[in-house]
Amino acid sequence: MNISAQYFDWAASAPQNPEIAAEALDIAQKYAANPSSVHKAGIEAREKLEEARKRCADVLNVKPECLVFTSGGTESNHIPLVSLLQKPIKGSIVISAIEHAAVREQALALRHCGRRIITADCGKDGIVSADEVLKKCEGDTEMVCIMAVNNETGAIQPVYKIADALASLKGRRPKLHVDAVQAAGKIPFDFSYTGIDSAAVSAHKIYGCRGIGLLYTASRTESFLKGGGQEGGMRSGTENLFGIWSLMRCLETCAEKTACTAALEAQKEKTAFFIGALQKIPGCTIIPEARAAFPDLYSPWIVQASFKGIPGEVAVRALSERGFYISTGSACSARKNKRPVLSAMKIDEETARNSVRFSFGSMQTHKDIEALIEAVREVNALFGQKI
């Protein structure tokens, strides 16, 4: 794979695997007919699409009929939320304070449709507890949205504990939706865990192409958006066989249990080395500060840090000029210059303003990370506040 050793913004988007892209293009060209067409070419395209669905299901250990192909992580997060509009009940929706904008902003938009949006707070460690979620649930709560891995801090949320806690509620159990975009193919995640009603996946976070995603649904619900009825009526529109095949092959490459675990363990070692080196840089603060003491609570693929006296945008530009590419956080929020996740963690304004995100890919080596550390030291020496 031809991947830049100096690209450290994988949480925003991963470079495509060229072999998988070439294979997907070949499939899309060979089976070019509309999968909904009833002629032989259409039937053959449909068979290939369903083969991809089954292979995705095999990797994720779920039933093929539980998987819906979408245009990406954002749409996969939107469908369960917007589907609530099919019901006359106007109950509350609980979302965590650290959700990606795809969940947070869509949930807030549902206020205009009569839903009450309740926020479950996180601790200073960036983690939302099951007790906090239960505390915010009400008798009419329709849905709870909790991401599996935070896209800015890498904090792994206790999704299984939250699912178990919701199951203990008396009366109607709220549905649990999980944004698994930063989990699928990066850390072991059990989509079939009892109590997880839906979960979102995006291809371009795991070496796939942009514009394709996956929605896991434990049971089908009626979609609010209507059309030709493709994907079991959950997501109308002619299916993107190129993207679907790309997503399937990326899941087979990254999310297969043995491969995922091996890559995770290798990255844990590299990230521990990286964090240890950052902590020795004057004025550097790891976010959250307790992360080094509890590494297993965080995905090793994402590290957030702040450098005293260096605004995040300055650090990003200075490193970019040296050929190293990082971000100030979620690419979806970068232009708005807002850090709601850090605010929810009670990070002080200056530290939040100076924070940046480093995110990694499995192809990067210790040597690549050492080069990044040296560049960070250089930028800190030039722009950082002298301690």
Side-chain angles (χ1 to χ4, degrees), residues 61-90:
N61 191 34
V62 299
K63 297 177 181 179
E65 57 266 28
C66 292
L67 299 181
V68 176
F69 292 114
T70 69
S71 65
T74 293
E75 187 178 29
S76 294
N77 280 318
H78 284 180
I79 290 174
L81 278 164
V82 177
S83 292
L84 296 177
L85 298 178
Q86 289 290 126
K87 302 177 182 179
I89 301 171
K90 293 187 177 181

Side-chain angles (χ1 to χ4, degrees), residues 4 21 37 46 55 63 71 80 110 158 202 206 213 274 292 340 344 368 375:
S4 170
S37 297
R46 166 62 55 184
R55 288 169 67 173
K63 297 177 181 179
S71 65
L110 291 181
S202 178
I206 50 172
F274 178 66
D368 299 330

